[in-house]
Every structure is written in C-alpha cells, then in structure tokens.
Amino acid sequence: MQARGPLMIEHRLIERMISLIRVALADIQSTGRVDPLFVDDAVDFIRIYADRTHHGKEEDILFRDLDSKDLKATDRRIMNELIEEHAFGRKTTRALVEANTRYRNGDNTALSDISGNLETLVDFYPEHIEKEDNVFFPASRTYFTDEEDQAMLAEFQEFDRKMIHEKYRTVVEGLEKSG
Ligand SMILES: [Fe+2]
Ligand SMILES: [Fe+2]
C-alpha cells in the first residue's frame, strides 16, 4: 500500500460521521432539540480520530516531509490551505463544545450555535477531503521515491500505535483532575 492509502481509508470513516451529523441536523430542525450525547460523540470522533489521529499524520509526517522538498508554488499554497483548514476545524469544534455546554445548562439560544457549528463542519470536511484525495495526495506522491513513501507509511503505523495509549492516558488524567 502507498502511504496515502491509510489516509484515504480514514477519509471514508470521516465521511460516514459527516453523514450522521447531516441526519442529526435535519433532526434538530424538525424537533427543535438536540441530543447533547450525540454532540459529545461527534466531538470525540472529530477531536481524537479526525484531528489528532488523521490530521496528526498529515501534519506531523506527510506535510513535514513535503516541507523539505522543493515544492511547486501551487502545491505549497494548497498545503498551507490544508493546514489552515485543520486549524479552522479545531476552532469550530471548540465553539461546538462551548455551545453544547451552554445547551446542557439550559440555555436554549445555544441550539442555533450547535447547529451552526455542525453545519460548518458538514460543509467544510467533504471539500477538504476531496482536495486531498483528488488533488493534493496525487501531487504529493510525485515528490517522493518509493522508499520514502514506504518510510512514511511505516511512520504512520507507528503514529497510530501510540494513539490508543495517548487517548486513554488523557482519559485517566482528566478523571484524576476532576476527582
Ligand atoms: Fe487534512
Ligand atoms: Fe485528510
């Protein structure tokens, strides 16, 4: 498998979560309510899987290695756009968490902020993924030898191996702090 293989497989799972969020948004519109637990699950998925695990591999390994290459101006511009979009995703997720907390505390004005931020995520992710799958990943591949590509793939696997440990260390540390 090429290094972009696992990243593209991850995109497919992110798309499935985006579809679930779309359904939840329609539900919010028809009922005027939201299940804060669904928002918690969506936030956990976006933070741990889409951001830390997936964007983590893109930024810390793929973009890092690309940065040392003599990139064409268009490819460098797209890479910078992708980094900005990751940051925008984080900001939107923070706003979503904040709105969900207000909603739980009985603030009904929080509902429109929850749906607004969910809509932003639903609009932004598919375009971001499309740009990577169809434009940026194929262009990136041309800068690497087969050996370099396979070295990135191995580093991706090592990155993933550490994730489950990081996730649950964070859970324990969070509980220790609140306890
Ligand atoms: Fe990305
Ligand atoms: Fe991606």
Side-chain angles (χ1 to χ4, degrees):
M1 197 193 289
Q2 297 191 21
R4 70 177 126 157
L7 296 177
M8 293 177 75
I9 290 168
E10 288 163 12
H11 284 166
R12 306 290 80 80
L13 193 65
I14 295 170
E15 284 167 346
R16 286 164 66 186
M17 177 51 92
I18 293 298
S19 298
L20 290 167
I21 295 175
R22 255 192 216 108
V23 172
L25 272 167
D27 222 46
I28 293 171
Q29 266 173 358
S30 63
T31 64
R33 277 181 287 131
V34 67
D35 177 2
L37 294 174
F38 172 79
V39 178
D40 286 342
D41 284 343
V43 164
D44 184 73
F45 177 88
I46 293 163
R47 281 191 162 160
I48 305 298
Y49 188 80
D51 195 42
R52 186 74 190 101
T53 308
H54 177 78
H55 297 162
K57 287 199 288 297
E58 290 174 348
E59 291 185 3
D60 297 359
I61 300 168
L62 175 63
F63 297 177
R64 176 205 64 198
D65 284 3
L66 277 169
D67 197 44
S68 66
K69 303 284 181 186
D70 188 18
L71 295 186
K72 283 188 212 140
T74 47
D75 293 333
R76 190 164 289 279
R77 181 180 51 75
I78 296 174
M79 184 165 82
N80 289 333
E81 272 171 25
L82 294 171
I83 293 168
E84 274 168 33
E85 286 165 16
H86 291 173
F88 176 73
R90 277 170 214 134
K91 198 172 126 211
T92 306
T93 309
R94 270 197 301 278
L96 176 61
V97 169
E98 189 264 339
N100 201 33
T101 305
R102 284 197 288 123
Y103 186 80
R104 272 201 170 90
N105 293 337
D107 177 356
N108 277 326
T109 66
L111 188 65
S112 64
D113 293 331
I114 291 176
S115 46
N117 286 301
L118 288 175
E119 262 163 39
T120 302
L121 291 170
V122 157
D123 289 342
F124 135 87
Y125 263 113
E127 271 182 48
H128 181 85
I129 285 174
E130 196 332 289
K131 191 158 42 166
E132 290 179 341
D133 281 353
N134 299 327
V135 182
F136 190 70
F137 290 169
S140 303
R141 184 63 188 83
T142 64
Y143 294 100
F144 297 112
T145 63
D146 290 350
E147 289 72 25
E148 286 172 326
D149 190 65
Q150 288 304 298
M152 275 196 296
L153 179 63
E155 207 177 340
F156 284 171
Q157 285 162 347
E158 180 58 13
F159 189 96
D160 282 351
R161 196 187 61 74
K162 289 180 182 152
M163 270 309 122
I164 192 82
H165 303 284
E166 180 180 306
K167 155 86 185 169
Y168 286 102
R169 191 167 52 244
T170 309
V171 169
V172 171
E173 284 169 3
L175 290 170
E176 282 170 349
K177 266 184 215 139
S178 66

